Amino acid sequence: MTFPWCSTSVPSVFNMLESNKEGLKLEEAQKRLETYGLNQLPKKKPPNPIFRFLFQFHNLLIYLLLAASLLTAFLHHWVDMYVILMVVILDACIGFFQETKAENAINAIKNILALQARVKRNNTTTEINAKFLVPGDVVFLQAGDKVPADLRLFFVKGLKMEESSLTGESTSVEKNEEPVEKNTPLTDRTSMAYAGTLVTSRQSMGIVVQTGAQTELGKISHMMETVQEVKTPLIEQMEKFSRGLAFCIIMMAIISFLFGVFFRDFTLSEMFMIAVGFSVSAIPEGLPIILTVALAIGVQKMAKQNAIIRHLPAVETLGCVTVICSDKTGTLTKNEMTTQTIVTAKETFSKEIKKPLNHPSLHQILLGALLCNDAEIIQQKKDVYEFSGDPTDGALLISAIQELPHEKENWQKIDTIPFDSKHRFMASLHQSKDGESVIFIKGSPEHILDRCSSQLEEKEKPFQKEYWETKILELASKGQRVIGMAYKKDSSNKKHLHFHDVEKDLCFIGLFGLIDPPRKEVLAAIKECYSAGIRVKMITGDHAATARAIAQQIHLKNAEDVFTGQELDHLSLEKFASQVQMVDVFARTSPEHKLFLVQALQKDNEVVAMTGDGVNDAPALKQAHVGVAMGKRGTEVAKESSEMVIADDNFATIVKAVKEGRTIYDNVKKSIFFLLPINGGESLSVILAVFFNTILPITPLQILWVNLVSSFTLAMTLAFEPMEKDVMSRKPRNIQEALVSSYLLQRIGFISILFTLGIFGIFTWLRFHGASIGIARTAAVNTLVTLELFYLVSVRVLSHASFFGAHWKKSFHFFVGVGLLLLVQGIFTYAPFMQDILDTESLGWAQWKIILSIGLIGYILFEAEKWIRRVFFGKSKLRN
């Protein structure tokens, strides 16, 4: 349990840490460094590239292929062995070079820590490397500094902190030295400054209370070490599929071997090669490569759309996501405070000001925003501004400078009263070129209203406090941050501004309503998510009112119901998992809450994508099925913890990734629909040859040729198939379903029988008419390949007729594959060196007419089977 430094008084903190405001002695600091260690986080050793390459072989199908290569080598069938090994190594290389995910998320956190720190030691201010800080050190902070360790503040002068990277809070937090309640959420601990956060204005001093792994940043690092990465649905399905297929292949090979030896006239050597041939024919050698290539193609497509995929299976996993947990700040919103509303005594102005600036109160309130301001602004180009300083000041300054671009040149700032959390306002004294002096005061409306005696309309009128209190509540209910503005004319030409100058007789001008607005494209993206059966849940460190307002603006479901972090603290994982479906907006959350939410959703069997950009998002990003980090504003920690980085910080890009993921799964499924029936037909041919005690119509090496060259050439084209029209109108697929469904098993049986009939039919026909074994086998192989070609045309579209349709408009890769197939089969059939290696013979036109006729008949039967199932069972059954 962390000690509650935030609720401990400053004198008690100094006593407990045996320090004082003059800082530690050098000798004491050295002793403590030996006790507490360096102010840095533990480093994690990066994975060895050799082990990462070897891990690419961790696939049951690959193990079977390696076993087959060893067996063929044992029998001195070197060509077979080399071809099998070539496939295995090719697949491993593709996976190794495409899968570039780095496992250094924890190491990335160290980059957030400040490099240097100004400390007081031996009653002297000095600058040291931040890693040498120890508890008890006195540290100075000023605008622009990154906090080097967790500090208990004891001297504060208008200090504001930007803590969004740690807490998710979108606005700067005002700090003071007063203790807060023991159980105060991290976002409200105004007496603390935490490692990795940024000072946006003013200065302060604090005493170091935690360093290194004990800081709040260190806790997140520890959380990430304990998070178990979740296997992607496709990987899990492929593992189950591989185990089932491997078991079937081994059992069938053993049964065939024993049957051939004991019940037929095959020798041990012959049956051993036949068993190997059966295994080779049954294993879809091209499937691991096609899967890897399909994912790699998705990676390349997404890169062109500003989504960088860091782990290949994440592309497909996005396609079955059921819930997207999105951070609000910088993801759903712009992370830019913007003036949304200006309220004067008579009118309310929206963001787009369309009133003439001779409107007295509008002109005056914008003038106050322009002059009573510490932010600095640079105009990048027309209507594009950047500022430095407090985000609230920056938002007000941009609003003012757009309407009064040259007004500031006419005024000179004489003196200011800086903003302080005690009085909660800033005041400034200005003098114009005409000699007019005026005081502007800006800040919390509640602290300004009581100082006013009048309000500005066309001229100064009696003050109506109830009117302004109503307007304040109105703006706050919309989630807007409310800033009040008042002024006072000065006729004494004073040179210094004091508190008594702004205690009374102020004239209230109006109110500013500021908000971090939603991105324009978010509404359409969320609507598309809902049409695709995907829920969107917003998670933020902001207040509940702000979260509710943003949720309503982007049309989130259940926007009225906001769950806070404090409410989550009182729920168990099991109880929350039963309620999580009813809540879509979460406010005042901590890193633990975000991780808790993802775990609860996963417990409810949801496939979760988590978006985020801050350090606080990292554990949840790593826990989620797909972590999605923002590229522009995202910290290195968030990026290194994620599966995908959105380079343009655009929520709509996630929707594009979902489309791509669903398309990839469609194409992988088409590849399985294509390859397994072909392998089934080859395997069935071997089994029937053993059963009928006849010679094999296709040799094991010829089967390997078909699987690795012909089938692979055609199947690879399926990885490039275009997106289908209804891809985002379907519900997410059920990841509990097996990759091989009952329909696929039925289709494997039906297509396998057709392929077997074609292979045995032409082999038997030609042998009956006196053809040599070489010609009969060559014709059988080409019949198999021709049937594959026609079956590929059919399988390009799973749910309707394939001969006509829009998919033919995007068929470049299909025709390239067909062209390569014709080329390699021509070499297989007619090249002398191939005839020597594979025992083939040249075919004449008479044989080709029979082969083409069998292929055409096969296509008609393929389409007829699809039509019957579509009529009686519906289109959806044809996808499963």
Side-chain angles (χ1 to χ4, degrees):
M1 193 76 177
T2 304
F3 186 81
W5 298 106
C6 63
S7 61
T8 308
S9 67
V10 170
S12 298
V13 173
F14 276 112
N15 288 336
M16 294 174 67
L17 294 174
E18 298 181 357
S19 183
N20 54 59
K21 294 182 181 180
E22 279 67 49
L24 298 172
K25 301 291 184 184
L26 287 174
E27 299 80 6
E28 178 62 22
Q30 187 59 42
K31 288 180 184 177
R32 295 191 184 192
L33 186 64
E34 294 173 4
T35 302
Y36 294 101
L38 294 174
N39 177 35
Q40 59 187 21
L41 300 176
K43 296 180 180 180
K44 183 180 178 182
K45 189 177 180 180
N48 189 305
I50 296 175
F51 290 134
R52 280 211 300 128
F53 178 74
L54 292 176
F55 188 74
Q56 306 299 321
F57 295 91
H58 184 52
N59 181 302
L60 205 51
L61 292 179
I62 298 297
Y63 293 155
L64 284 176
L65 288 173
L66 289 172
S69 70
L70 287 175
L71 291 173
T72 53
F74 179 75
L75 295 172
H76 302 291
H77 291 260
W78 303 113
V79 176
D80 303 52
M81 183 200 74
Y82 290 137
V83 174
I84 295 173
L85 286 178
M86 178 188 71
V87 173
V88 172
I89 294 171
L90 178 62
D91 179 62
C93 289
I94 293 173
F96 179 75
F97 288 113
Q98 286 287 347
E99 187 178 315
T100 57
K101 179 182 178 182
E103 289 296 335
N104 58 345
I106 297 171
N107 291 340
I109 296 180
K110 71 181 185 296
N111 297 324
I112 294 179
L113 294 174
L115 296 177
Q116 298 295 118
R118 286 183 297 281
V119 300
K120 205 171 186 181
R121 287 183 176 174
N122 283 354
N123 202 22
T124 302
T125 301
T126 183
E127 194 168 272
I128 65 169
N129 191 311
K131 68 180 180 181
F132 297 122
L133 285 176
V134 294
D137 264 326
V138 170
V139 175
F140 292 85
L141 297 176
Q142 64 182 26
D145 285 348
K146 275 188 178 178
V147 182
D150 286 0
L151 309 178
R152 173 63 169 91
L153 301 172
F154 65 84
F155 171 77
V156 176
K157 188 176 181 182
L159 179 69
K160 287 188 179 182
M161 303 290 302
E162 199 276 291
E163 298 180 330
S164 64
S165 65
L166 185 64
T167 67
E169 180 70 60
S170 59
T171 57
S172 290
V173 181
E174 301 156 10
K175 299 290 184 177
N176 58 62
E177 60 266 28
E178 299 301 323
V180 296
E181 291 294 327
K182 181 178 179 180
N183 295 322
T184 300
L186 189 69
T187 48
D188 295 326
R189 294 178 193 170
T190 53
S191 59
M192 300 290 295
Y194 291 106
T197 59
L198 183 68
V199 180
T200 58
S201 66
R202 303 300 176 182
Q203 56 190 10
S204 70
M205 295 172 67
I207 178 173
V208 175
V209 294
Q210 300 286 10
T211 59
Q214 301 304 313
T215 62
E216 289 295 326
L217 204 61
K219 292 177 190 176
I220 295 174
S221 170
H222 178 69
M223 285 170 60
M224 290 173 62
E225 286 180 319
T226 59
V227 168
Q228 296 294 319
E229 290 194 58
V230 180
K231 284 185 178 180
T232 66
L234 183 61
I235 295 300
E236 288 187 337
Q237 287 184 313
M238 286 300 296
E239 288 179 354
K240 291 178 182 177
F241 165 71
S242 299
R243 286 195 295 269
L245 183 62
F247 177 79
C248 291
I249 290 172
I250 292 170
M251 292 304 297
M252 290 299 295
I254 292 173
I255 292 171
S256 299
F257 178 82
L258 295 176
F259 185 84
V261 171
F262 293 106
F263 298 98
R264 292 295 182 263
D265 298 329
F266 293 98
T267 65
L268 285 172
S269 176
E270 288 175 332
M271 272 313 304
F272 189 81
M273 276 310 298
I274 289 174
V276 170
F278 169 80
S279 301
V280 170
S281 66
I283 298 172
E285 290 88 350
L287 187 58
I289 296 180
I290 292 168
L291 174 61
T292 304
V293 170
L295 295 173
I297 291 167
V299 169
Q300 293 169 0
K301 287 182 179 178
M302 288 311 304
K304 294 176 181 177
Q305 299 182 52
N306 295 310
I308 297 109
I309 305 297
R310 306 181 63 251
H311 187 42
L312 282 182
V315 187
E316 184 279 330
T317 309
L318 273 163
C320 55
V321 157
T322 59
V323 179
I324 298 176
C325 295
S326 176
D327 182 49
K328 176 184 74 69
T329 306
T331 308
L332 294 171
T333 66
K334 295 180 178 180
N335 197 23
E336 298 172 357
M337 288 300 290
T338 304
T339 303
Q340 196 78 10
T341 311
I342 298 176
V343 179
T344 63
K346 292 295 184 182
E347 296 188 63
T348 298
F349 301 95
S350 64
K351 185 179 177 183
E352 301 293 331
I353 298 172
K354 296 179 182 179
K355 292 283 183 180
L357 284 180
N358 57 13
H359 193 286
S361 54
L362 179 58
H363 181 278
Q364 195 73 351
I365 196 171
L366 289 172
L367 181 62
L370 182 71
L371 301 179
C372 189
N373 202 306
D374 281 337
E376 294 183 4
I377 197 164
I378 302 171
Q379 184 170 0
Q380 300 294 321
K381 52 186 177 180
K382 187 177 180 181
D383 297 327
V384 178
Y385 301 90
E386 285 190 3
F387 65 86
S388 60
D390 179 72
T392 300
D393 274 359
L396 295 176
L397 187 57
I398 288 174
S399 299
I401 208 166
Q402 286 175 333
E403 304 298 332
L404 306 171
H406 306 295
E407 187 69 22
K408 196 171 184 179
E409 300 168 5
N410 299 322
W411 294 85
Q412 178 185 3
K413 184 181 285 190
I414 306 300
D415 197 14
T416 63
I417 297 175
F419 183 92
D420 189 275
S421 56
K422 291 180 180 178
H423 52 256
R424 300 185 67 79
F425 66 77
M426 171 188 179
S428 57
L429 172 63
H430 304 269
Q431 190 173 61
S432 71
K433 290 181 178 180
D434 299 331
E436 178 188 358
S437 292
V438 64
I439 299 169
F440 284 103
I441 179 170
K442 173 197 73 181
S444 169
E446 293 81 1
H447 287 72
I448 297 178
L449 292 179
D450 291 335
R451 301 167 186 263
C452 296
S453 59
S454 62
Q455 62 188 42
L456 184 63
E457 297 179 19
E458 289 77 13
K459 56 183 180 178
E460 294 186 13
K461 296 288 184 69
F463 188 54
Q464 298 176 16
K465 187 176 181 181
E466 295 78 10
Y467 167 82
W468 294 109
E469 288 175 339
T470 302
K471 291 296 183 183
I472 290 168
L473 290 174
E474 224 174 81
L475 296 179
S477 68
K478 297 176 182 177
Q480 297 182 19
R481 185 179 185 188
V482 186
I483 303 294
M485 182 72 71
Y487 82 107
K488 183 179 184 180
K489 291 181 180 178
D490 175 55
S491 57
S492 61
N493 292 323
K494 60 172 64 76
K495 298 299 181 184
H496 297 284
L497 190 60
H498 302 283
F499 277 98
H500 64 77
D501 295 319
V502 292
E503 284 295 326
K504 59 182 180 178
D505 298 330
L506 299 179
C507 179
F508 199 78
I509 312 171
L511 303 167
F512 286 99
L514 297 96
I515 200 166
D516 180 12
R519 294 177 174 274
K520 291 180 180 179
E521 61 277 359
V522 163
L523 266 76
I526 289 176
K527 184 178 180 181
E528 197 161 14
C529 284
Y530 287 149
S531 71
I534 301 169
R535 292 290 292 272
V536 179
K537 296 185 183 292
M538 184 177 78
I539 313 166
T540 177
D542 270 343
H543 291 277
T546 304
R548 184 181 291 108
I550 294 295
Q552 290 170 340
Q553 290 178 40
I554 61 178
H555 300 162
L556 272 190
K557 292 181 179 178
N558 303 324
E560 292 293 329
D561 300 323
V562 181
F563 225 86
T564 65
Q566 287 181 323
E567 291 175 286
L568 287 174
D569 288 334
H570 297 94
L571 292 176
S572 65
L573 183 62
E574 289 73 19
K575 190 170 182 180
F576 181 53
S578 66
Q579 300 180 12
V580 70
Q581 298 294 354
M582 298 179 289
V583 183
D584 289 330
V585 185
F586 299 87
R588 307 306 275 168
T589 54
S590 68
E592 292 86 354
H593 295 142
K594 295 186 177 186
L595 180 59
F596 186 66
L597 173 60
V598 174
Q599 290 171 334
L601 288 166
Q602 290 174 337
K603 191 174 181 64
D604 205 29
N605 296 320
E606 301 285 1
V607 180
V608 184
M610 168 69 184
T611 71
D613 56 7
V615 180
N616 60 321
D617 296 326
L621 286 172
K622 194 172 182 182
Q623 174 69 40
H625 291 92
V626 182
V628 184
M630 299 299 110
K632 288 183 178 178
R633 293 186 175 88
T635 61
E636 286 304 310
V637 187
K639 294 173 187 176
E640 296 294 341
S641 305
S642 64
E643 305 286 342
M644 180 170 77
V645 178
I646 304 297
D648 58 0
D649 287 14
N650 191 334
F651 186 83
T653 305
I654 300 171
V655 180
K656 296 176 184 176
V658 170
K659 292 179 185 177
E660 194 60 49
R662 292 187 173 193
T663 301
I664 287 170
Y665 184 75
D666 282 351
N667 292 345
V668 169
K669 202 67 178 281
K670 289 173 185 177
S671 300
I672 294 172
F673 267 73
F674 177 71
L675 288 173
L676 292 189
I678 293 171
N679 290 109
E682 295 167 348
S683 304
L684 188 57
S685 299
V686 174
I687 291 173
L688 288 178
V690 173
F691 184 81
F692 289 113
N693 201 24
T694 185
I695 60 174
L696 294 175
I698 304 177
T699 67
L701 190 56
Q702 289 171 343
I703 290 174
L704 196 59
W705 165 266
V706 172
N707 285 358
L708 299 185
V709 181
S710 301
S711 298
F712 179 73
T713 301
L714 293 178
M716 186 60 69
T717 66
L718 293 172
F720 296 88
E721 282 296 295
M723 186 180 299
E724 295 189 14
K725 287 183 178 180
D726 65 343
V727 71
M728 288 301 281
S729 60
R730 310 175 205 156
K731 299 300 179 186
R733 65 183 175 85
N734 186 353
I735 62 172
Q736 303 301 321
E737 292 179 359
L739 195 62
V740 180
S741 63
S742 59
Y743 166 56
L744 180 55
L745 287 174
Q746 294 168 21
R747 171 165 270 212
I748 290 173
F750 174 72
I751 303 297
S752 297
I753 291 171
L754 292 182
F755 273 65
T756 304
L757 289 174
I759 294 168
F760 260 99
I762 196 167
F763 181 80
T764 305
W765 174 268
L766 292 176
R767 289 288 291 156
F768 180 77
H769 287 83
S772 67
I773 292 177
I775 288 179
R777 279 178 168 168
T778 306
V781 170
N782 280 291
T783 299
L784 172 60
V785 172
T786 302
L787 283 168
E788 287 182 11
L789 175 56
F790 280 104
Y791 182 50
L792 177 69
V793 175
S794 177
V795 87
R796 287 187 70 196
V797 183
L798 295 176
S799 58
H800 55 268
S802 61
F803 194 74
F804 301 101
H807 61 283
W808 286 105
K809 295 178 181 178
K810 297 182 179 180
S811 298
F812 173 77
H813 294 96
F814 169 80
F815 288 116
V816 169
V818 171
L820 288 174
L821 172 71
L822 296 176
L823 176 63
V824 297
Q825 280 305 114
I827 295 171
F828 168 85
T829 306
Y830 297 106
F833 72 94
M834 291 297 288
Q835 293 177 346
D836 293 337
I837 296 172
L838 297 173
D839 297 324
T840 62
E841 294 184 31
S842 300
L843 299 179
W845 176 237
Q847 288 97 14
W848 279 113
K849 285 192 292 185
I850 301 172
I851 291 170
L852 293 173
S853 298
I854 293 173
L856 185 59
I857 293 169
Y859 177 72
I860 294 170
L861 294 174
F862 302 150
E863 291 296 292
E865 182 260 356
K866 212 163 36 171
W867 178 81
I868 292 170
R869 287 189 177 272
R870 185 169 65 251
V871 170
F872 289 98
F873 300 103
K875 285 198 303 183
S876 62
K877 289 292 183 182
L878 299 178
R879 296 188 182 280
N880 301 322

